[in-house]
Amino acid sequence: MKTYKIACIPGDGIGKEVVPAGQEVLAALASGNRSFSFEFENFGWGGDWYRAHGAMMPANGLDALRHKDAILFGSAGDPHIPDHITLWGLRLKICQGFDQYANVRPTRILPGIDAPLKRCRPQDLDWVIVRENSEGEYAGVGGRVHQGQPIEAATDVSMMTRAGVERIMRFAFRLAQSRPRKLLTVVTKSNAQRHAMVMWDEIALQISKEFPDVKWDKELVDAATARMVNRPATLDTLVATNLHADILSDLAAALAGSLGIAPTGNIDPERRYPSMFEPIHGSAFDIMGKGLANPVGTFWSCVMLLEHLLEIDAARKLMQAIEQVTADTALHTRDLGGSATTQQVTQAVCQRIAASA
């Protein structure tokens, strides 16, 4: 039997509720399976660790994760700690430290969910957004000078490399090629950003020649937001820069019904390091500890984790259980207009898994 070593980092806020829920669901899958099991190790990094140690994670924290098969992450964000410290000190430290350069965010309308686009059929909104996850606007290049003075200046430089753009484009074209519609939209802003984004467009054209069976088009990021709302069926796989995809994927989750259901995979496609899977909803301190958090985003992230481990049957079983639960409106959490608790949804998913064994 294969034993997968999973690092669990709840982080902050409701991450401390949804990550244990994810562990519970993964354990339920393993209990009915003779081919694999899970060995979880929990890491208490985040805001509380910062208050105790002055850092979001230990300096040698990556070494503790390096030999894991995957990472299940909750959220980073604490109202008492500046956001740039929580983000760069934990989540981005892991993403960049393990070169998880492909951030993958699937979005579709799950059964039973009342999405805001009333003229949109569920089959019209079935997207995967590929976000460049290592450079671009979040490369960390920049600085501040003359702080506190009238001449103070601050810069954040969007840094793009040919190697970085080529590899994310190739990943996105390959992903689009694997999907039934074989359709890719390259999101850009090369009309205004005339250097890095022009290179982005040129490399997209270059890489497209390696995938003649993939139909692709190009869309300015502002026009892409309107297209997502007005013509969702024309989209399938999208690839965008770090900042652009960050924004578009939140819009996509909202259009699908809630940020609470949306998953993410931070992927090292070359499998040199562990990849990290997380819901996109954030720490949501306003509902922390109340049992109101929607764990579906974490469960769907666990589906992606299983797919990455090549446990395809288990991933399919978990996704079916998730869809059976969302189809029952009595099991909707507050973000979906219901009153179910985190634990009730978790128990329901576990029950569906057990029933399918």
Side-chain angles (χ1 to χ4, degrees), residues 238-262:
L238 300 88
V239 61
T241 69
N242 219 329
L243 174 62
H244 292 164
D246 191 8
I247 296 168
L248 292 179
S249 57
D250 275 17
L251 172 60
L255 295 176
S258 171
L259 264 66
I261 64 174

Side-chain angles (χ1 to χ4, degrees), residues 259-331:
L259 264 66
I261 64 174
T264 305
N266 300 287
I267 309 296
D268 166 28
E270 284 72 45
R271 297 177 181 267
R272 300 158 295 171
Y273 309 106
S275 293
M276 182 166 68
F277 302 87
E278 59 176 321
I280 75 169
H281 51 54
S283 55
F285 262 73
D286 58 322
I287 61 169
M288 176 185 175
K290 299 179 180 179
L292 300 175
N294 190 340
V296 168
T298 300
F299 299 160
W300 197 346
S301 298
C302 290
V303 171
M304 299 182 72
L305 183 153
L306 290 163
E307 290 171 341
H308 186 71
L309 297 177
L310 303 181
E311 296 291 349
I312 305 304
D313 289 342
R316 187 179 300 114
K317 181 183 289 189
L318 176 53
M319 197 70 223
Q320 289 172 348
I322 292 168
E323 291 177 343
Q324 290 168 3
V325 168
T326 62
D328 184 350
T329 56
L331 291 169

Side-chain angles (χ1 to χ4, degrees), residues 5 39 73 75-76 83 115 148 152 162 198 206 227 238 252 259 264 270-271 285 318 344-345:
K5 296 181 178 180
E39 180 182 295
F73 187 84
S75 61
D83 287 342
E152 180 174 357
R162 172 166 288 276
V198 170
Q206 168 198 326
R227 182 171 165 185
L238 300 88
L259 264 66
T264 305
E270 284 72 45
R271 297 177 181 267
F285 262 73
L318 176 53
Q344 286 171 336
V345 176

Side-chain angles (χ1 to χ4, degrees), residues 14 18 113-116 253-254 256-262 281 284 287 291-297 326 331-342 345:
I14 61 171
V18 295
I113 291 180
D114 184 22
S258 171
L259 264 66
I261 64 174
H281 51 54
I287 61 169
L292 300 175
N294 190 340
V296 168
T326 62
L331 291 169
H332 285 189
T333 46
R334 190 175 72 172
D335 58 304
L336 295 174
S339 58
T341 66
T342 308
V345 176

Side-chain angles (χ1 to χ4, degrees), residues 187-208:
V187 178
T188 186
K189 193 57 182 170
S190 50
N191 59 340
Q193 295 174 279
R194 58 183 182 167
H195 301 299
M197 293 307 301
V198 170
M199 183 182 76
W200 172 272
D201 292 352
E202 291 171 354
I203 293 173
L205 176 59
Q206 168 198 326
I207 299 300
S208 72

Side-chain angles (χ1 to χ4, degrees), residues 145-154:
V145 296
H146 308 300
Q147 286 182 246
Q149 303 299 318
I151 59 171
E152 180 174 357

Side-chain angles (χ1 to χ4, degrees), residues 32-323:
N33 192 302
R34 296 181 180 178
S35 62
F36 67 85
S37 63
F38 294 107
E39 180 182 295
F40 300 110
E41 183 175 359
N42 295 303
F43 295 87
W45 303 337
D48 291 340
W49 187 273
Y50 181 86
R51 278 182 279 272
H53 302 280
M56 293 291 290
M57 63 183 287
N60 63 348
L62 293 181
D63 292 333
L65 305 176
R66 193 176 305 276
H67 300 294
K68 301 296 186 182
D69 293 298
I71 303 166
L72 182 61
F73 187 84
S75 61
D78 187 301
H80 306 295
I81 304 171
D83 287 342
H84 68 280
I85 292 176
T86 58
L87 183 64
W88 282 94
L90 185 55
R91 185 184 174 277
L92 288 184
K93 186 172 182 179
I94 296 170
C95 289
Q96 295 193 351
F98 288 150
D99 200 19
Q100 297 166 346
Y101 66 83
N103 180 281
V104 181
R105 299 191 171 191
T107 305
R108 59 187 174 90
I109 301 173
L110 297 179
I113 291 180
D114 184 22
L117 294 180
K118 299 308 177 188
R119 292 178 294 174
C120 177
R121 301 171 300 172
Q123 62 266 36
D124 292 339
L125 201 164
D126 186 356
W127 306 329
V128 179
I129 297 176
V130 176
R131 170 184 175 185
E132 200 293 313
N133 207 35
S134 65
E135 49 183 41
E137 303 87 351
Y138 298 170
V141 179
R144 293 174 67 179
V145 296
H146 308 300
Q147 286 182 246
Q149 303 299 318
I151 59 171
E152 180 174 357
T155 61
D156 276 296
V157 179
S158 177
M159 180 65 67
M160 294 190 190
T161 65
R162 172 166 288 276
V165 178
E166 282 185 358
R167 67 183 186 176
I168 199 63
M169 286 295 175
R170 193 168 281 115
F171 179 90
F173 270 95
R174 191 174 292 119
L175 179 60
Q177 187 182 52
S178 73
R179 286 169 59 81
R181 296 176 66 189
K182 300 185 187 301
L183 174 65
L184 177 67
T185 297
V186 176
V187 178
T188 186
K189 193 57 182 170
S190 50
N191 59 340
Q193 295 174 279
R194 58 183 182 167
H195 301 299
M197 293 307 301
V198 170
M199 183 182 76
W200 172 272
D201 292 352
E202 291 171 354
I203 293 173
L205 176 59
Q206 168 198 326
I207 299 300
S208 72
K209 300 182 188 306
E210 301 175 17
F211 299 88
D213 57 333
V214 175
K215 181 181 178 181
W216 73 286
D217 61 3
K218 186 173 67 173
E219 191 77 84
L220 296 175
V221 63
D222 43 334
T225 62
R227 182 171 165 185
M228 290 168 72
V229 173
N230 295 324
R231 296 184 294 133
T234 68
L235 296 166
D236 185 84
T237 308
L238 300 88
V239 61
T241 69
N242 219 329
L243 174 62
H244 292 164
D246 191 8
I247 296 168
L248 292 179
S249 57
D250 275 17
L251 172 60
L255 295 176
S258 171
L259 264 66
I261 64 174
T264 305
N266 300 287
I267 309 296
D268 166 28
E270 284 72 45
R271 297 177 181 267
R272 300 158 295 171
Y273 309 106
S275 293
M276 182 166 68
F277 302 87
E278 59 176 321
I280 75 169
H281 51 54
S283 55
F285 262 73
D286 58 322
I287 61 169
M288 176 185 175
K290 299 179 180 179
L292 300 175
N294 190 340
V296 168
T298 300
F299 299 160
W300 197 346
S301 298
C302 290
V303 171
M304 299 182 72
L305 183 153
L306 290 163
E307 290 171 341
H308 186 71
L309 297 177
L310 303 181
E311 296 291 349
I312 305 304
D313 289 342
R316 187 179 300 114
K317 181 183 289 189
L318 176 53
M319 197 70 223
Q320 289 172 348
I322 292 168
E323 291 177 343

